[in-house]
Amino acid sequence: MNNMSPEVALNRISPELRPLLCSVVRNGRVGLDSTNCLRVTDLKTGCTSLTPGPCCDRFKLHIPYAGETLKWDIIFNAQYPELPPDFIFGEDAEFLPEPTELPHLVQWDAGNPECLLQLVKELIQQYHHYQCQRLRESSRLLFEYDSLLEDPNYGRNMEIYAGRKNSWTGEFSARFLLKLPVDFSNIPVYLLKDTALDPGEDVALLSVSFEDAEATQVFPKLYLSPSIEHALGGSSALHIPAFPSGGCLIDYVPQVCQLLTNKVQYVIQGYHKRREYIAAFLSHFGMGVVEYDAEGFTKLTLLLMWKDFCFLVHVDLPLYFPRDQPTLTFQSVYHFTNSGQLYSQVQKSYPYSPRWDGNEMAKRAKAYFKSFIPQFQEGAFANGKL
Amino acid sequence: MAASISGYTFSSVCYHSANSNSDHEGFLLGEVRQEETVSISDTQISSAELLQVVEIHNHDPCAQLFSFYDYAGKINEETLNSILKDRRKNVIGWYRFRRNTQQQMSFREQIIHKQLTQLLGVPDLVFLLFSFISTANSSTHALEYVLFRPNSRYNQRITLTIPNLGNTSQQEYKVSSVPNTSLNYTQVIKEHGAEFFDKDGVMKDIRTIFQVYSALQDKVQAVCGEVEQSERVKEKNQEDVNKLKQQIALRKRKTAEEERMLREAQNADSHSTPEENTEPSEASPLSRITFHTPSAPERPSTSPNPPSYADLLSQDDSLLSSSSPPTSAALLPRPQAVGSPGHPTPSPLGMGLGLGLGLGAGSNPVTTPSTPYLGNGDGSSSDSLDRQAAGQEDDEDDDDDEEDEDEDSSEYENLVSEAAHLPMVSASVLAQGRPAALSPDGDARGSQTT
């Protein structure tokens, strides 16, 4: 019953309520973390047990918020599907939103399939206000919050979860979840489309947990949507600096933001540089180009001839080109190794500078080929078999 | 704070709720009262505890959801009044029933509760939440109920007691303090109450029983009077006996004196005169001493044919008229169960003693090895009478009680008084070790059986 797929939930719910739930489970994305849809579990019915199904009209909705998952009970009445639902806010027994702040409740329209989703969004907003109110118990955290609020970059995209006070120690904890205003739109598409999951919106979230009210134990964590993570080179590439003790969010967050932006820029730049490189090679080697990666510009293969000796050169361009040097693989077209492969040699260090432009790189590459080929030829004849 | 609800109100709410095909709500009517308990313990002189008790008398279900509030949960006071009408002042809470949900107040319920508290002016408005949980295969259903007191900061859940619901094997059936406010009930009671209650509101049975009790008391008092009288008679008779004893003794002394003097005179006169006069003179005092008791007929031991009961009765009368003093032993009323016919009366006492005395004077003392000698105070034996009475007693009871009869005859000292009433002498009793004094048993029995 717990990990119910949306379709199962939809089948069990009363037909009149189905459209409302449909929009929630299929399209419902609430809050900053919208990588996952809202989840529905524990479908139950309010009708007598003799009522023939499907007649479920009450369920638990799992809503991600500020790194937590809120579990709210939503109660309809299958016999009266036109009536608005009731809510039980789980453990947040003190959360009582003002109905006037919930326009979709006051003017509930059961005919509008989006009504429930909109109402949930409004409730989340109210919940957010409620949590911000709770921050008032700690002046330090309240200061953090207020300072962030003032910055238009962060203020609007913030979720706060003021955690339960630890009843033993009286410790107060809070978590800030911020959406970083980093522009991922220029990341080349090819980098993003490799992920198996539905990528959704590209987002970077910074979660900062304050384990105590005096901000002595602070744990930041960066969350990237899967495609971005892949585009930036995997989770190993995400190193954010530790939260400085005595520092505050308003200084730290822009720092992280900048770091991320730089990385993104770098990746974007890399793409363009590669493109430039390939373009230059194309123009220099013209007919010698066998094939090249026209999407990501990561690979290039040349077929060259020197003194009647033909050979292939494979160029692999790394992600952080031009910082990282391309790999050249020379391959003989005549000789085989013992294992049946074509004889090849890899060259990773050759005269190279990241400051050269594409043309320069192509020229220098050409010169290098000329210098290296005799050596290669000898090696091929010596080690390979025809 | 404590709360109680009568069983029928509770079941009525459950019935309404379980039969609805959706969530259900309504109002609770009743009253709140303060109970003060004063307890005294060793450590404190007294401590008073104030307890608020909420009593739910009745409920008023709402016909549908959202009947008095809108989508935003705002209550419409006019609609509320039209639903409650004049019951508004009795509202002490409201209830809600929803299936398969948590036992926690929901968002809308909290909003409504706040407004109701204000509108109805009940500071401690209670909220009763029913929840019906069913298992997946509908094999088990549980009805859970929790009474909330949301307006207080702490102790928001109150226990709701339902009198006589629970383990009643160790408690007696309690009469609930929750009154029955049904109109029909009061009407019926009014109509038919006169058959059970008199004009003062006291049950008629109680009065009747009280009358019986009073009658019994009167009778007891009367018996006390009679006992007193008989005691006085006894006292008087005892005095007479003592006087007569004294007279006897006096006369004896006189006679003895006279004889002595006569003897001396005779001796002095002549040694020639014979002494045959002594015998008659000896006999005469005896005869004089002997009280005028009838001779043989009263002594069944000497006559071959003991007198019949009728004879005995006639003797009784004669004896009664005489002033023969009774024996103390025979005067004690025999303890008997109330209502039994054999209740002894003090009247035939004189007869019995007379018999006993007569016998005792003329006969040898009869030894009864199995019973202690309970003779009359003056040395006469009342054994025969005991036996007689015992035998009669035996006849009264079962015949298999013979042995007990022998041993217990000692207890029947007062049976002497009953001898006159009791017609029969049991042969079996006489047969067991009662030597000589009585005539052959078979004859005794045969002649005396009526």
Side-chain angles (χ1 to χ4, degrees):
Chain A
M1 190 77 73
N2 273 337
N3 275 326
M4 197 185 299
S5 84
E7 303 312 316
V8 173
L10 285 176
N11 279 338
R12 290 186 55 194
I13 201 151
S14 161
E16 291 92 354
L17 301 170
R18 202 168 284 154
L20 292 166
L21 195 63
C22 204
S23 65
V24 167
V25 294
R26 292 218 173 111
N27 312 325
R29 287 195 170 90
V30 170
L32 297 178
D33 182 9
S34 36
T35 49
N36 294 314
C37 273
L38 301 172
R39 218 157 49 92
V40 159
T41 61
D42 294 314
L43 275 157
K44 299 266 167 69
T45 178
C47 307
T48 60
S49 49
L50 296 172
T51 315
C55 57
C56 287
D57 55 8
R58 42 205 66 181
F59 50 88
K60 234 189 220 340
L61 189 65
H62 296 250
I63 305 162
Y65 175 81
E68 300 278 324
T69 307
L70 307 174
K71 299 182 189 66
W72 289 354
D73 289 298
I74 302 187
I75 302 166
F76 280 95
N77 273 288
Q79 301 294 320
Y80 305 100
E82 71 278 3
L83 297 175
D86 201 357
F87 296 86
I88 297 180
F89 299 117
E91 290 166 351
D92 294 300
E94 292 177 6
F95 171 50
L96 203 64
E98 189 55 50
T100 48
E101 304 282 342
L102 308 167
H104 275 87
L105 177 66
V106 177
Q107 280 130 31
W108 173 261
D109 176 15
N112 174 10
E114 299 290 318
C115 209
L116 181 61
L117 186 60
Q118 295 304 322
L119 177 55
V120 170
K121 285 185 177 164
E122 282 160 11
L123 281 168
I124 294 285
Q125 234 180 2
Q126 293 300 308
Y127 186 75
H128 171 76
H129 288 148
Y130 162 71
Q131 291 287 3
C132 294
Q133 289 293 317
R134 293 185 68 199
L135 274 185
R136 290 179 199 290
E137 299 193 31
S138 159
S139 56
R140 171 86 170 83
L141 296 176
L142 185 64
F143 158 73
E144 297 278 8
Y145 167 70
D146 286 335
S147 54
L148 280 173
L149 198 62
E150 280 163 11
D151 189 331
N153 284 333
Y154 313 109
R156 284 186 212 294
N157 295 312
M158 195 164 42
E159 275 174 11
I160 312 250
Y161 182 77
R164 267 153 248 112
K165 246 189 179 160
N166 184 331
S167 52
W168 293 104
T169 62
E171 281 300 313
F172 188 80
S173 63
R175 189 179 299 122
F176 286 70
L177 189 69
L178 297 142
K179 181 169 168 181
L180 298 177
V182 177
D183 186 9
F184 298 109
S185 55
N186 290 329
I187 292 188
V189 173
Y190 85 95
L191 281 170
L192 302 175
K193 78 173 169 75
D194 237 5
T195 54
L197 313 162
D198 172 18
E201 192 192 330
D202 296 326
V203 73
L205 299 170
L206 178 65
S207 149
V208 183
S209 301
F210 292 89
E211 292 300 320
D212 65 327
E214 294 314 306
T216 54
Q217 291 179 35
V218 186
F219 303 103
K221 201 153 186 243
L222 185 65
Y223 293 98
L224 299 174
S225 51
S227 51
I228 302 291
E229 195 172 323
H230 178 84
L232 295 181
S235 54
S236 56
L238 305 168
H239 292 299
I240 49 172
F243 192 86
S245 60
C248 51
L249 281 175
I250 195 64
D251 300 324
Y252 178 74
V253 172
Q255 213 180 339
V256 173
C257 221
Q258 191 58 51
L259 198 73
L260 197 57
T261 313
N262 290 344
K263 250 198 179 99
V264 167
Q265 284 302 316
Y266 214 81
V267 166
I268 295 173
Q269 259 186 3
Y271 171 80
H272 288 292
K273 281 277 181 189
R274 287 199 301 277
R275 209 164 79 160
E276 198 194 316
Y277 181 93
I278 301 273
F281 267 64
L282 283 174
S283 69
H284 274 254
F285 292 95
M287 296 295 288
V289 175
V290 176
E291 60 181 7
Y292 68 96
D293 177 3
E295 251 192 13
F297 305 104
T298 53
K299 288 172 85 74
L300 175 69
T301 303
L302 302 162
L303 177 64
L304 304 166
M305 195 170 78
W306 179 79
K307 296 184 177 166
D308 296 325
F309 178 70
C310 292
F311 58 97
L312 289 163
V313 180
H314 303 280
V315 182
D316 289 296
L317 295 154
L319 188 61
Y320 288 112
F321 175 84
R323 186 191 74 186
D324 300 335
Q325 193 171 357
T327 312
L328 300 173
T329 308
F330 293 87
Q331 205 172 45
S332 160
V333 297
Y334 314 103
H335 302 91
F336 289 91
T337 61
N338 292 334
S339 53
Q341 306 286 328
L342 286 170
Y343 176 79
S344 57
Q345 264 188 13
V346 179
Q347 283 298 325
K348 282 197 177 148
S349 54
Y350 50 90
Y352 172 85
S353 167
R355 285 184 294 276
W356 300 331
D357 65 353
N359 267 322
E360 187 65 30
M361 284 195 195
K363 271 199 279 189
R364 299 284 184 127
K366 209 171 192 176
Y368 177 71
F369 294 157
K370 283 202 179 115
S371 68
F372 182 68
I373 275 301
Q375 210 178 336
F376 177 70
Q377 195 181 18
E378 274 174 32
F381 275 108
N383 297 318
K385 304 194 274 279
L386 286 166
Chain B
M1 198 190 208
S4 74
I5 184 171
S6 57
Y8 40 84
T9 308
F10 182 79
S11 62
S12 177
V13 176
C14 292
Y15 176 80
H16 267 114
S17 306
N19 277 313
S20 76
N21 213 359
S22 67
D23 296 347
H24 176 71
E25 61 199 8
F27 294 95
L28 297 171
L29 312 170
E31 65 172 6
V32 181
R33 55 187 169 84
Q34 303 259 2
E35 260 183 17
E36 189 174 344
T37 347
V38 177
S39 57
I40 301 173
S41 71
D42 289 344
T43 49
Q44 291 173 283
I45 291 297
S46 77
S47 60
E49 251 182 51
L50 214 56
L51 184 69
Q52 250 194 335
V53 178
V54 173
E55 279 182 1
I56 301 169
H57 298 165
N58 213 345
H59 74 107
D60 189 6
C62 290
Q64 56 200 18
L65 299 165
F66 288 85
S67 52
F68 58 97
Y69 50 91
D70 63 6
Y71 288 175
K74 183 149 170 29
I75 293 182
N76 184 337
E77 197 168 350
E78 281 134 30
T79 333
L80 182 70
N81 284 335
S82 69
I83 291 172
L84 290 176
K85 299 190 201 46
D86 57 348
R87 291 186 297 268
R88 185 182 158 135
K89 57 185 182 319
N90 293 333
V91 174
I92 46 135
W94 64 301
Y95 70 90
R96 214 145 178 275
F97 167 84
R98 34 184 169 83
R99 290 189 173 85
N100 293 319
T101 52
Q102 291 184 53
Q103 282 184 338
Q104 210 178 332
M105 281 187 84
S106 75
F107 163 57
R108 190 169 294 122
E109 283 158 13
Q110 289 184 47
I111 292 173
I112 291 174
H113 190 89
K114 279 206 178 103
Q115 295 176 72
L116 277 178
T117 309
Q118 273 185 339
L119 286 174
L120 297 171
V122 179
D124 246 338
L125 199 72
V126 296
F127 173 66
L128 181 56
L129 177 63
F130 285 94
S131 173
F132 203 81
I133 316 277
S134 307
T135 51
N137 56 357
S138 297
S139 60
T140 311
H141 307 274
L143 178 76
E144 298 172 352
Y145 55 97
V146 184
L147 190 64
F148 287 95
R149 188 174 43 153
N151 295 332
S152 82
R153 189 117 181 87
Y154 307 104
N155 293 334
Q156 289 202 343
R157 295 189 180 206
I158 319 168
T159 36
L160 182 66
T161 51
I162 304 169
N164 299 317
L165 186 71
N167 185 6
T168 51
S169 63
Q170 280 154 16
Q171 310 163 0
E172 66 258 5
Y173 193 83
K174 287 198 195 93
V175 176
S176 160
S177 59
V178 179
N180 191 331
T181 53
S182 153
L183 286 172
N184 288 330
Y185 176 81
T186 15
Q187 260 180 359
V188 171
I189 291 295
K190 227 161 134 181
E191 271 175 47
H192 295 274
E195 290 168 27
F196 298 92
F197 295 89
D198 61 15
K199 52 179 171 41
D200 296 332
V202 180
M203 280 194 79
K204 286 182 180 171
D205 290 343
I206 293 177
R207 279 211 197 279
T208 320
I209 290 171
F210 201 76
Q211 279 166 11
V212 169
Y213 165 74
S214 309
L216 283 170
Q217 282 288 88
D218 292 339
K219 289 278 188 261
V220 168
Q221 294 289 350
V223 166
C224 285
E226 285 172 5
V227 167
E228 194 208 345
Q229 272 183 7
S230 73
E231 285 288 310
R232 293 222 186 283
V233 167
K234 167 197 156 192
E235 194 187 345
K236 184 167 172 307
N237 286 339
Q238 185 73 39
E239 278 177 25
D240 290 345
V241 165
N242 290 340
K243 275 195 208 142
L244 288 170
K245 278 185 187 172
Q246 280 172 7
Q247 284 181 7
I248 290 171
L250 196 60
R251 280 202 192 175
K252 266 191 182 164
R253 279 206 300 278
K254 270 195 190 163
T255 323
E257 191 63 36
E258 282 172 9
E259 273 185 6
R260 198 174 54 78
M261 282 168 63
L262 198 60
R263 229 179 292 129
E264 281 173 4
Q266 280 181 353
N267 283 341
D269 277 345
S270 63
H271 293 278
S272 59
T273 51
E275 297 179 10
E276 58 273 7
N277 292 336
T278 56
E279 293 163 13
S281 60
E282 286 171 8
S284 54
L286 280 173
S287 61
R288 256 183 288 151
I289 295 166
T290 310
F291 287 100
H292 48 82
T293 57
S295 53
E298 324 166 66
R299 287 180 50 202
S301 55
T302 51
S303 71
N305 291 322
S308 69
Y309 181 55
D311 295 337
L312 277 173
L313 274 179
S314 56
Q315 288 162 22
D316 292 345
D317 294 336
S318 57
L319 279 171
L320 273 169
S321 54
S322 73
S323 60
S324 49
T327 321
S328 59
L331 270 174
L332 293 171
R334 188 180 80 148
Q336 258 192 335
V338 173
S340 61
H343 193 61
T345 55
S347 43
L349 283 171
M351 175 283 303
L353 282 167
L355 276 175
L357 285 166
L359 285 168
S363 68
N364 303 322
V366 177
T367 53
T368 51
S370 57
T371 55
Y373 175 63
L374 287 171
N376 302 322
D378 55 356
S380 61
S381 161
S382 60
D383 277 339
S384 57
L385 284 168
D386 280 336
R387 258 177 280 131
Q388 193 183 41
Q392 287 158 352
E393 175 66 6
D394 194 21
D395 270 330
E396 264 188 283
D397 304 332
D398 294 341
D399 283 334
D400 38 349
D401 271 1
E402 296 163 23
E403 284 183 348
D404 292 341
E405 186 59 47
D406 282 341
E407 275 131 28
D408 288 344
S409 62
S410 58
E411 296 167 9
Y412 293 111
E413 352 171 16
N414 57 338
L415 286 176
V416 165
S417 63
E418 291 185 74
H421 289 293
L422 304 171
M424 290 187 264
V425 175
S426 166
S428 53
V429 172
L430 303 173
Q432 288 176 22
R434 309 276 185 178
L438 291 175
S439 59
D441 304 319
D443 293 343
R445 189 183 189 127
S447 62
Q448 290 205 347
T449 311
T450 50

